[in-house]
Amino acid sequence: MKVTYDNDIKTEVLNDKKIVILGYGSQGYAHSNNLKDSDFDVTVGLRQGSGSFEKLRRSNMPGAAIEEALQDADLVMMLLPDEHQPTVYEQYVKPNLKAGASLGFAHGFNVHFEQINPRDDINVFMVAPKGPGHTVRSTYTEGSGVPCLVAIHQDVTGDTKQQAYAYASAIGGGRAGIIETTFKEETETDLFGEQAVLCGGTAALVQAGFETLVEAGYAPEMAYFECLHELKLIVDLMYEGGINTMRYSISNTAEYGDLTRGNRLVTKDTKAAMKDILQEIQNGQFAKEYVDDCRNDYQTLLQLRGAHAQHPIETVGEQLRGMMPWIKKKPLVDQTIN
């Protein structure tokens, strides 16, 4: 697998292009500000009445209503939530984007599952940072970046790949490495990682560990430190050097417990459940379920979000984090600006 870095990328392919970012959430904030700091012509397009116009003003970022922003746009990046993109594409992008322009995505969901069927006279590519927008921005400002995946869906003008790599480089991806993939591969692996390991699996494991200790009579504060707070320390070690580096750094007691007990939690049944989750992603079942819930005013998402927000680990954690002010000295997430 080839990994491409800044030295092998010609970013001048974007020099004379008007780049429009649709959306100013986590990814929109990061991409637009990184592009601006990389000296490219970037404008943020928002729907009329969007509360993000005030965030644009505070960050001194050029912005306009979507219809105005799309005029003469050369490259449009769709960074709205997945569920809003099809409507915005049909209402604004499809009738207004000029032929030969480029349409970019940071996730392959809508193209792969055919929620969006792009016009055949435009370039279509993907630049998917392997990290949340807040990290895309923070690493860029520190002089590094987040690895990016690049994929090409349609190449009308013959230089779509060059544009995609240049865009990835401009937001910091070329500092960390860029890998070429497909919309299908990125979408299915990304959804699986989120559901089975990074978000769903990890959050469920942390909550179950917390509950097990509290139900056994241990203090909730102790349970929080052992099952959530220290998780960052372990993940940082794994991030730096893999699982073996983490095991090298912990005590022999911890390593022995890891190697002899971990597979009692993640069993053949766990892996079978992971395979079921992957199959639901591959056959489109998850996509249909999610799209249906969005159209039903997010009833399932909002109900589950509210229930999990009331979990005791959140209450205890908020109290304990309030006693550790250094955590918030340089926050990854500042909702007033991103």
Side-chain angles (χ1 to χ4, degrees):
M1 179 177 291
K2 181 181 178 182
V3 181
T4 303
Y5 297 93
D6 283 338
N7 289 341
D8 295 319
I9 299 171
K10 297 180 179 179
T11 57
E12 56 265 28
V13 69
L14 299 181
N15 281 354
D16 299 322
K17 296 191 181 299
K18 176 184 177 182
I19 303 173
V20 174
I21 303 296
L22 297 186
Y24 203 61
S26 175
Q27 290 288 348
Y29 170 84
H31 288 225
S32 58
N33 279 277
N34 290 6
L35 286 162
K36 180 183 175 184
D37 289 349
S38 294
D39 296 324
F40 290 104
D41 177 10
V42 58
T43 300
V44 174
L46 298 173
R47 285 172 287 186
Q48 293 282 358
S50 171
S52 292
F53 276 110
E54 177 59 23
K55 292 183 179 181
L56 285 179
R57 186 192 64 79
R58 287 198 296 267
S59 59
N60 197 30
M61 174 64 63
I66 293 179
E67 305 96 313
E68 179 184 348
L70 287 173
Q71 293 178 13
D72 298 318
D74 297 298
L75 190 161
V76 175
M77 193 71 175
M78 295 281 277
L79 296 177
L80 299 149
D82 287 332
E83 65 269 24
H84 297 323
Q85 290 183 15
T87 299
V88 169
Y89 173 77
E90 290 293 328
Q91 184 174 349
Y92 299 105
V93 179
K94 185 177 180 179
N96 292 301
L97 188 60
K98 65 186 180 184
S102 297
L103 179 63
F105 296 85
H107 182 32
F109 184 95
N110 281 306
V111 172
H112 176 56
F113 290 117
E114 299 182 345
Q115 299 299 305
I116 292 176
N117 293 294
R119 285 177 10 212
D120 59 11
D121 62 347
I122 59 175
N123 302 316
V124 181
F125 69 82
M126 176 180 64
V127 173
K130 298 314 295 173
H134 306 104
T135 307
V136 174
R137 181 57 179 163
S138 63
T139 54
Y140 179 95
T141 60
E142 293 165 358
S144 59
V146 170
C148 288
L149 300 180
V150 162
I152 310 303
H153 181 70
Q154 290 180 182
D155 183 16
V156 174
T157 59
D159 65 346
T160 309
K161 182 182 290 189
Q162 292 92 321
Q163 291 186 44
Y165 273 88
Y167 184 99
S169 175
I171 64 170
R175 300 170 178 175
I178 302 168
I179 298 173
E180 192 165 343
T181 183
T182 65
F183 274 67
K184 177 182 187 295
E185 184 175 51
E186 185 278 334
T187 301
E188 293 177 356
T189 57
D190 187 70
L191 292 175
F192 176 80
E194 292 167 349
Q195 295 172 27
V197 181
L198 304 176
C199 305
T202 299
L205 183 65
V206 167
Q207 287 184 343
F210 176 89
E211 291 167 0
T212 300
L213 287 176
V214 172
E215 289 165 5
Y218 298 100
E221 293 80 4
M222 291 293 295
Y224 176 86
F225 278 119
E226 292 299 334
C227 296
L228 191 154
H229 181 81
E230 290 191 37
L231 183 64
K232 173 177 165 46
L233 308 178
I234 299 301
V235 170
D236 283 349
L237 291 169
M238 294 170 68
Y239 176 86
E240 180 180 310
I243 296 174
N244 282 338
T245 292
M246 178 273 289
R247 287 175 174 155
Y248 172 83
S249 300
I250 61 179
S251 68
N252 289 338
T253 310
E255 184 181 9
Y256 183 84
D258 160 12
L259 294 170
T260 61
R261 276 19 181 211
N263 59 6
R264 288 169 56 181
L265 294 171
V266 181
T267 64
K268 291 181 180 179
D269 290 340
T270 308
K271 193 169 180 180
M274 286 182 169
K275 290 181 178 180
D276 289 341
I277 289 172
L278 179 58
Q279 186 174 27
E280 291 170 4
I281 292 167
Q282 292 171 327
N283 65 22
Q285 179 180 335
F286 170 78
K288 182 181 184 304
E289 179 183 324
Y290 177 65
V291 170
D292 286 347
D293 191 55
C294 294
R295 292 171 178 168
N296 197 32
D297 297 324
Y298 308 96
Q299 286 194 16
T300 299
L301 176 62
L302 293 177
Q303 187 272 324
L304 292 172
R305 180 187 291 168
H308 282 271
Q310 300 303 313
H311 193 282
I313 199 171
E314 298 298 334
T315 305
V316 172
E318 185 175 6
Q319 294 172 347
L320 291 175
R321 289 190 298 273
M323 301 165 60
M324 298 179 281
W326 58 87
I327 292 178
K328 291 293 186 181
K329 278 190 174 180
K330 193 177 181 182
L332 289 174
V333 181
D334 183 346
Q335 296 185 20
T336 64
I337 61 172
N338 60 2

